[in-house]
C-alpha cells in the first residue's frame, strides 16, 4: 500500500513509473514482447493504437490481479491471470469495433495478440501478484509506456524508410512512375527500402536501439 | 478457507468464470447494434466507392438510396429471385452452398444517367477471407471500379489489395474477350503487359493473396455470365 512507503509518489513509486522507460525497459532490456514489436511496427498508426491498447490492458489487469492477489488460488493463478487479460482484450476489441471502427480494422489481428504479449503476463506474475493496487497501477503505466515508446520509435523508422510515409502521409515527397514526375526526395532518385517492411528489419532496428541505449547507459552492460 | 484446498480452487474458478462471462456477454450484446450499423454503413460505402462515389461512412448510408436503384438477388440462370433481400445476403454463407442453390446479389446503380452493375465478391487469400465489389459499366463488360478488402492478409504485402494503387488498376479492364467469351481479369505475377485488357499487376511478395483475388474475381463473376449476357 502507498502509505507504507510514505506518499503516493514516493521515490520508490516514481521508480516504478520511470524505470521501465530506460533502465528496465521491457523490450530493450528484458527483451519481452518482441513478437508484437516485429508484427505491428510496419506503420506508425497501428503501433500507436497498439501501444494505447496495451496500456489499457496492462494497467487494468495489473490493478485487478493486484486487488485479487490474496484471493487467487496459487495452483490456478496463471489461468486466472490469462482469463482477466483475455476478457480485457475482448472488451477493447468490442469497444473499438463499435466506436472506432476504422482503428479496429487497422488492428484487427493484432488486438488478439495482446493476450499473448509476454510483458503483460510477466508483470502480472512478477509484480501484481505481490504488490498493492496503486503500485501495480504505476508499474502498469510505466511498463506499457516503455513498451509503447520502443514500438513507436521502431514504427517511425520502418514506415519512414520503408514506405516514405508517416501516419500515412507522404513526407518524403510523392513517388510517381518516373523519376522526373516524382516530387521531393524521389525526384533525386531516392528509393524506398522495401526491406524495412519485413520483420527482420524490426529485429535489427530493435537491436540498434539496444546498442544505442547500452552505449549511453553503461550499467546495463553485462560482463 | 484454505487457499490451496481443492474446494476453494473450484469455487474461485466457478465464481470468476460466471462474473467474467456475464460481463463479456453484457458488453457484447450492448455494443452489437452499433457494430452491426458500422458494418452495414461500410458495405454501402464500399459499394458506392466502386462507382466512383467516395464518401464517408455516415454519408454513405444517406446517399446509398440515391445511387443504388435496384438490389437484386439472382438465380444461377440469371433470373431474379424477388423473395430474397439482396443487401442482407451474407456471401460468406452463400459461397458454401451448391452452385445452383446460391443467391447471387447484384446492385444496379445509376450515376449521371448511366447504369452500372455492382457485383459483390467473396473468396480466400493467404490467411483468411477476402471480399470486395466490382462495378461494371452499362456495356456489362468494362470494369469501372473495384474495391477489395481482407480479414488478415500480411501488412505491407498481401494487405495492399485494399489500397487504391492496386484497386485502380482494374478500371477499364474487360471481363469478356473480343468473341464475347468470359475470361475475367487476373493479377499477373511479374506485371501485366500494358495492352492486356484482362490482367493487372500482382503484388510482389503477395503472390498467394494476388492469386486469391484473381480466383475470387473469376469464380464469382463467372456466376453472373447468364445475367450479364441476357439482360
Amino acid at each position: 500500500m502507498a502509505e507504507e512507503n510514505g506518499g503516493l509518489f514516493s521515490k520508490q513509486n516514481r521508480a516504478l513509473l520511470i524505470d521501465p522507460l530506460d533502465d528496465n525497459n521491457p523490450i530493450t532490456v528484458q527483451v519481452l514482447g518482441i513478437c508484437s514489436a516485429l508484427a505491428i511496427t510496419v506503420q506508425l498508426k497501428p503501433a500507436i493504437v497498439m501501444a494505447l491498447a496495451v496500456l489499457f490492458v496492462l494497467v487494468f489487469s495489473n490493478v485487478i490481479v493486484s486487488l485479487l492477489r490474496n484471493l487467487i488460488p496459487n495452483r490456478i493463478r496463471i489461468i486466472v491471470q490469462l482469463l482477466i487479460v483475455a476478457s480485457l482484450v475482448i472488451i477493447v476489441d468490442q469497444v473499438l469495433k463499435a466506436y472506432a471502427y476504422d482503428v479496429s480494422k487497422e488492428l484487427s489481428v493484432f488486438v488478439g495478440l495482446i493476450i499473448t504479449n509476454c510483458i503483460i503476463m510477466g508483470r502480472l506474475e512478477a509484480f501484481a501478484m505481490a504488490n498493492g493496487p496503486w503500485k501495480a497501477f504505476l508499474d502498469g503505466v510505466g511498463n506499457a509506456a516503455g513498451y509503447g515508446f520502443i514500438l513507436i520509435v521502431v514504427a517511425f523508422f520502418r514506415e519512414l524508410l520503408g514506405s516514405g510515409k508517416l501516419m500515412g502521409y507522404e513526407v518524403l515527397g510523392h513517388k510517381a512512375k518516373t523519376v522526373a514526375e516524382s516530387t521531393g526526395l524521389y525526384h533525386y532518385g531516392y528509393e524506398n527500402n522495401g526491406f524495412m517492411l519485413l520483420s527482420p528489419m524490426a529485429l535489427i532496428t530493435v537491436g540498434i536501439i539496444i546498442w544505442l541505449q547500452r552505449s549511453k547507459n553503461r550499467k546495463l552492460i553485462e560482463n | 478457507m484454505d487457499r490451496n484446498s481443492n474446494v476453494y480452487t473450484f469455487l474461485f474458478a466457478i465464481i470468476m468464470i460466471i462474473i467474467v462471462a456475464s460481463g463479456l456477454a453484457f458488453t457484447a450484446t450492448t455494443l452489437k447494434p452499433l457494430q452491426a450499423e458500422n458494418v452495414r454503413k461500410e458495405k454501402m460505402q464500399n459499394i458506392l466507392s466502386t462507382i466512383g462515389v467516395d464518401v464517408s461512412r455516415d454519408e454513405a448510408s444517406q446517399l446509398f438510396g440515391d445511387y443504388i436503384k435496384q438490389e437484386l438477388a439472382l438465380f444461377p440462370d440469371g433470373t431474379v429471385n424477388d423473395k430474397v433481400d439482396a443487401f442482407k445476403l451474407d456471401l460468406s454463407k452463400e459461397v458454401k452452398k451448391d452452385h445452383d442453390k446460391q443467391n447471387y446479389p447484384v446492385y444496379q446503380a445509376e450515376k449521371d444517367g448511366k447504369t452500372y452493375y455492382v457485383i459483390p465478391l467473396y473468396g480466400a487469400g493467404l490467411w483468411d477471407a477476402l471480399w470486395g465489389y466490382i462495378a461494371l459499366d452499362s456495356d456489362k463488360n468494362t470494369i469501372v471500379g473495384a474495391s477489395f478488402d481482407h480479414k488478415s492478409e500480411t501488412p505491407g504485402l498481401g494487405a495492399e489489395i485494399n489500397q487504391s494503387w492496386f484497386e485502380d488498376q482494374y478500371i477499364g479492364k474487360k471481363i469478356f474477350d473480343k468473341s464475347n467469351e468470359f475470361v475475367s481479369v487476373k493479377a499477373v505475377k511479374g506485371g501485366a503487359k500494358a495492352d492486356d485488357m484482362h490482367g493487372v499487376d500482382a503484388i510482389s511478395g503477395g503472390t498467394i493473396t494476388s492469386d486469391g483475388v484473381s480466383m475470387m474475381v473469376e469464380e464469382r463473376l463467372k456466376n453472373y455470365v447468364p445475367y450479364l449476357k441476357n439482360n
Side-chain angles (χ1 to χ4, degrees):
Chain A
M1 283 284 128
E3 301 86 298
E4 292 160 18
N5 316 304
L8 287 179
F9 284 103
S10 62
K11 199 174 172 202
Q12 210 188 344
N13 283 353
R14 275 205 312 274
L16 288 177
L17 206 54
I18 293 163
D19 260 8
L21 291 177
D22 188 6
D23 288 359
N24 211 0
N25 189 288
I27 295 186
T28 61
V29 179
Q30 300 174 27
V31 200
L32 289 176
I34 284 289
C35 359
S36 53
L38 304 187
I40 55 145
T41 48
V42 174
Q43 284 163 355
L44 198 49
K45 200 173 148 198
I48 292 174
V49 181
M50 181 71 169
L52 291 175
V54 167
L55 179 75
F56 171 86
V57 175
L58 185 53
V59 168
F60 275 86
S61 57
N62 241 4
V63 171
I64 294 171
V65 168
S66 161
L67 285 170
L68 294 175
R69 71 186 187 284
N70 293 324
L71 294 173
I72 299 175
N74 202 32
R75 275 179 293 174
I76 57 165
R77 64 179 197 286
I78 303 278
I79 302 174
V80 172
Q81 291 164 12
L82 258 182
L83 184 71
I84 292 167
V85 175
S87 320
L88 286 167
V89 168
I90 293 171
I91 290 173
V92 170
D93 189 34
Q94 296 287 322
V95 169
L96 285 179
K97 268 191 194 140
Y99 294 104
Y101 190 65
D102 295 313
V103 176
S104 107
K105 278 185 62 184
E106 195 111 5
L107 278 179
S108 58
V109 266
F110 306 128
V111 174
L113 279 180
I114 299 176
I115 302 176
T116 61
N117 194 318
C118 338
I119 296 172
I120 295 180
M121 287 299 286
R123 293 328 292 169
L124 295 182
E125 181 66 7
F127 195 87
M129 284 300 284
N131 288 282
W134 172 245
K135 280 188 164 183
F137 173 81
L138 292 177
D139 181 72
V141 174
N143 275 285
Y147 166 81
F149 171 67
I150 299 296
L151 218 59
I152 289 166
V153 170
V154 175
F156 175 86
F157 285 109
R158 285 183 78 191
E159 187 175 1
L160 183 69
L161 301 176
S163 44
K165 296 176 187 170
L166 283 178
M167 302 290 286
Y169 293 104
E170 295 174 318
V171 288
L172 297 182
H174 180 70
K175 187 172 196 270
K177 286 235 155 103
T178 64
V179 173
E181 288 171 31
S182 305
T183 58
L185 276 182
Y186 299 107
H187 189 65
Y188 302 99
Y190 174 79
E191 285 286 342
N192 288 325
N193 186 349
F195 197 38
M196 286 303 285
L197 298 176
L198 304 174
S199 300
M201 282 315 284
L203 206 55
I204 291 172
T205 315
V206 172
I208 293 172
I209 294 174
I210 294 178
W211 174 38
L212 287 175
Q213 189 191 12
R214 290 190 186 206
S215 67
K216 269 183 61 190
N217 196 341
R218 292 268 158 197
K219 66 176 177 250
L220 292 176
I221 300 172
E222 296 142 25
N223 290 315
Chain B
M1 203 180 217
D2 177 16
R3 263 214 289 158
N4 285 320
S5 76
N6 287 346
V7 179
Y8 180 84
T9 307
F10 273 106
L11 264 182
F12 186 90
I14 291 167
I15 294 171
M16 188 82 196
I17 286 166
I18 291 173
I19 294 174
V20 168
S22 37
L24 287 182
F26 177 77
T27 321
T29 357
T30 334
L31 297 175
K32 187 101 199 186
L34 282 165
Q35 295 169 353
E37 183 65 11
N38 282 334
V39 173
R40 196 178 67 92
K41 283 181 183 164
E42 190 194 25
K43 187 171 177 182
M44 292 177 166
Q45 187 189 23
N46 283 338
I47 293 175
L48 287 181
S49 80
T50 57
I51 56 165
V53 183
D54 285 314
V55 289
S56 76
R57 252 199 338 270
D58 287 322
E59 288 166 326
S61 61
Q62 292 159 16
L63 290 173
F64 192 70
D66 297 349
Y67 287 103
I68 306 300
K69 294 302 171 197
Q70 273 188 304
E71 300 168 14
L72 306 173
L74 306 176
F75 286 118
D77 62 1
T79 53
V80 177
N81 178 355
D82 47 17
K83 292 197 183 72
V84 177
D85 182 348
F87 192 81
K88 286 196 180 136
L89 278 179
D90 184 353
L91 263 191
S92 63
K93 289 186 187 134
E94 289 296 313
V95 293
K96 292 201 182 97
K97 296 183 195 166
D98 288 342
H99 168 72
D100 32 312
K101 294 219 174 74
Q102 285 187 41
N103 289 291
Y104 299 97
V106 58
Y107 303 92
Q108 273 189 23
E110 250 170 59
K111 189 186 153 201
D112 307 329
K114 276 178 84 179
T115 309
Y116 299 98
Y117 301 86
V118 183
I119 295 172
L121 311 167
Y122 190 90
L126 172 60
W127 301 110
D128 213 319
L130 305 176
W131 59 90
Y133 298 90
I134 275 201
L136 301 176
D137 209 341
S138 27
D139 65 359
K140 293 174 184 163
N141 182 7
T142 316
I143 294 173
V144 293
S147 145
F148 302 112
D149 215 337
H150 63 93
K151 191 161 176 206
S152 49
E153 296 308 297
T154 320
L157 302 171
E160 295 284 302
I161 57 165
N162 62 12
Q163 299 294 307
S164 57
W165 70 262
F166 182 75
E167 294 169 341
D168 290 351
Q169 298 186 92
Y170 282 80
I171 297 173
K173 304 289 174 187
K174 293 186 191 300
I175 61 168
F176 292 103
D177 66 9
K178 291 201 179 76
S179 54
N180 214 15
E181 285 299 311
F182 176 71
V183 284
S184 182
V185 176
K186 290 187 175 62
V188 182
K189 192 173 175 173
K193 291 197 187 74
D195 59 347
D196 187 350
M197 289 317 289
H198 309 290
V200 296
D201 296 351
I203 299 173
S204 316
T207 306
I208 297 183
T209 310
S210 305
D211 287 350
V213 172
S214 300
M215 291 249 294
M216 168 172 84
V217 172
E218 184 174 356
E219 292 280 313
R220 293 312 297 169
L221 289 184
K222 196 170 69 189
N223 299 312
Y224 292 86
V225 171
Y227 170 78
L228 295 172
K229 282 195 171 170
N230 287 339
N231 286 272

